[in-house]
Amino acid sequence: MLKHIHSINNPLVKQWKRLLTKKERDKSGLFLVEGFHLVEEALNQREQLLEIILSERVELPARWDIGSIPVTTITEEITNELSDTETTQGIYAVCRQEGKRTLQEAKTFLLIDAVQDPGNLGTMIRTADAAGIDAVIVGNGSVDIFNAKVVRSAQGSHFHLPLLKGNLNEWIEDLKKENIPVYGTALENAKVYTKTLPTSRFALIVGNEGKGVEKELLDKTTANLYIPIFGKSESLNVAVATGILLYYLRSV
Amino acid sequence: MLKHIHSINNPLVKQWKRLLTKKERDKSGLFLVEGFHLVEEALNQREQLLEIILSERVELPARWDIGSIPVTTITEEITNELSDTETTQGIYAVCRQEGKRTLQEAKTFLLIDAVQDPGNLGTMIRTADAAGIDAVIVGNGSVDIFNAKVVRSAQGSHFHLPLLKGNLNEWIEDLKKENIPVYGTALENAKVYTKTLPTSRFALIVGNEGKGVEKELLDKTTANLYIPIFGKSESLNVAVATGILLYYLRSV
């Protein structure tokens, strides 16, 4: 199954490179991951992994069980074309965005409203994974879930839990119908988060770095929570706030 | 007190630019902050603020009380030379690293061991500020506290609480002599953080993104704590972990 590509004008190279754009990712339902750690995570979630692409100067780790997954080797020049990092490890995988996980059993949700920074979104996905959250729903206006920097910051969590784009207004209504309490985060008309008891079923909404969660969403929640600021900083980083709230709500 | 500089070869410009290097910051005890928000924070901590530098296309906000602080205007070309960002706001301040805050009353400490990423270190300083921690001690092997990206990520917290470079081994010993419990963070020989009770006096040590806290330090602590991972991610981001632990330990 080993193929070698040496021309940067090969249509496959152009197709892979287009996966660095949101437009092509949306159209194809695919995304590209880069680096040994992420490709190994993709291997562990094999139904999402379509093919591996490898610089000719790089070798696959002997412990990896590649099975029938197609592997293509490429030149140094092509390797650099596909990279989103300054120093590439020279290994990529083309993956399906959707896994076969279902939401039927999901009891805990993180809803993300208009988070702009890819590092923040990736760290939030990683944090939700660590906290054992069952699904992450990303609303319109957020940076793309499958953006290369989001994927890198999430360190493989894209392969660990369902990540969906969705209309948060509709999600809040559906969750409330299921009797799952939905907690917004806000600075006004909100209660200190420790006044809410940890619970086995909940959804938490966190929002944009500057503006927070959209008022329209906050008006629909079961309750809105805030994290007190004891010092002189104006706010917490949104990924840090997400960690504090998820670890509190899921009750350690 | 208004001075204008138009030559990029002016010795003052060279001096300011050198503040972008750790070597010059260490030698001079000064650092440069960039952007309206940070310069305003410096104004609020006036004893640290030495001078303001302003692009000729930019105006000082009318509400700012500049008093006798020297203001120098500079050309667009010099403005870009001084900037560490892609799109500069064209305003800078030269500040003293040391404020006049004392540690005598300090009861809560964050000790940082060898954190490499400037965004992480800045976010951790901001998080410690939000959690009302009294002082942050940064050990050897961490990125420089006054690195431009650290300062930017901390969003002004450099002016809110004492930030010291220090030998963490000595700090642990001194804190324990004062009967302040010192908590390390570790994955092995550690207890779940919620098994420790929140307390009004404590020091928390967090460590390097990959390797965690140095073993030599962990051997000296009162106890070592860990945050359980409930999902499939390997770890939490160090700034997120810092937030979870500080907000738990200081008891909300």
Side-chain angles (χ1 to χ4, degrees), chain B residues 32 100 114 147 163 168 199 205 218 235:
Chain B
L32 193 68
K100 62 179 177 189
N147 167 298
L163 286 177
L168 298 189
T199 162
I205 318 175
L218 292 177
S235 62

Side-chain angles (χ1 to χ4, degrees), chain B residues 159-178:
Chain B
F159 299 108
H160 299 164
L161 79 174
L163 286 177
L164 305 172
K165 300 174 197 182
N167 178 317
L168 298 189
N169 276 293
E170 292 170 9
W171 270 93
I172 295 173
E173 280 169 24
D174 291 349
L175 289 162
K176 282 166 71 184
K177 270 181 214 154
E178 302 278 333

Side-chain angles (χ1 to χ4, degrees), chain A residues 37 123 126 129-132 157 160 192-194 227-237 239-240 243-244 247 250 252, chain B residues 37 123 126 129-132 160 192-194 227-237 239-240 243-244 247 250 252:
Chain A
H37 176 69
T123 303
R126 176 182 172 194
D129 181 8
S157 294
H160 299 165
V192 176
Y193 69 100
T194 47
I227 301 176
I229 302 291
F230 299 100
K232 287 183 236 158
S233 74
E234 287 174 13
S235 62
L236 284 158
N237 166 276
V240 173
I244 294 169
Y247 267 83
R250 67 104 55 222
V252 175
Chain B
H37 175 69
T123 304
R126 176 182 173 195
D129 181 10
H160 299 164
V192 177
Y193 69 100
T194 47
I227 302 176
I229 301 290
F230 299 100
K232 287 183 239 159
S233 74
E234 287 173 13
S235 62
L236 284 158
N237 167 276
V240 173
I244 293 169
Y247 267 82
R250 65 105 56 226
V252 175

